[in-house]
Amino acid sequence: MVGLVAERVRELIRQICKEHEGEIVKGQVSRDHVHLFVSIPPHLAISKLVQYLKGKSSYKMLQENKQLARKFWGRHLW
């Protein structure tokens, strides 16, 4: 992920973490993956935050970017 796609992924991840009271300690968007070090409240399971991050960001990215939607048609973005 490079350029505008990478910037949009960063925005979405920040937004989703903020919605669920998570704080991004460190993160990096690479060409084919994302690294995150996140601090979350004790009432939120790590698996749940990952589910939110992958699900919401994938849905938004595929809706907004038709080229990605064609490339990943029938498959998962994450």
Side-chain angles (χ1 to χ4, degrees):
M1 291 173 266
V2 294
L4 295 176
V5 173
E7 288 178 27
R8 184 62 177 142
V9 167
R10 277 189 204 98
E11 288 175 20
L12 289 170
I13 289 173
R14 286 182 185 134
Q15 177 185 358
I16 295 165
C17 283
K18 189 175 181 178
E19 288 173 7
H20 297 284
E21 302 171 26
E23 178 186 344
I24 299 172
V25 177
K26 191 170 185 178
Q28 178 183 4
V29 177
S30 298
R31 265 190 95 114
D32 59 350
H33 61 277
V34 176
H35 285 279
L36 288 176
F37 183 48
V38 183
S39 175
I40 59 173
H43 64 82
L44 180 63
I46 295 168
S47 60
K48 203 62 164 168
L49 179 64
V50 172
Q51 179 183 1
Y52 294 139
L53 288 169
K54 290 173 72 174
K56 290 181 179 183
S57 63
S58 175
Y59 179 78
K60 287 271 192 183
M61 291 299 296
L62 293 175
Q63 291 295 313
E64 295 173 2
N65 191 324
K66 297 304 176 189
Q67 185 178 359
L68 279 179
R70 278 188 226 106
K71 185 175 181 178
F72 291 98
W73 182 80
R75 297 182 298 161
H76 299 284
L77 182 61
W78 300 121

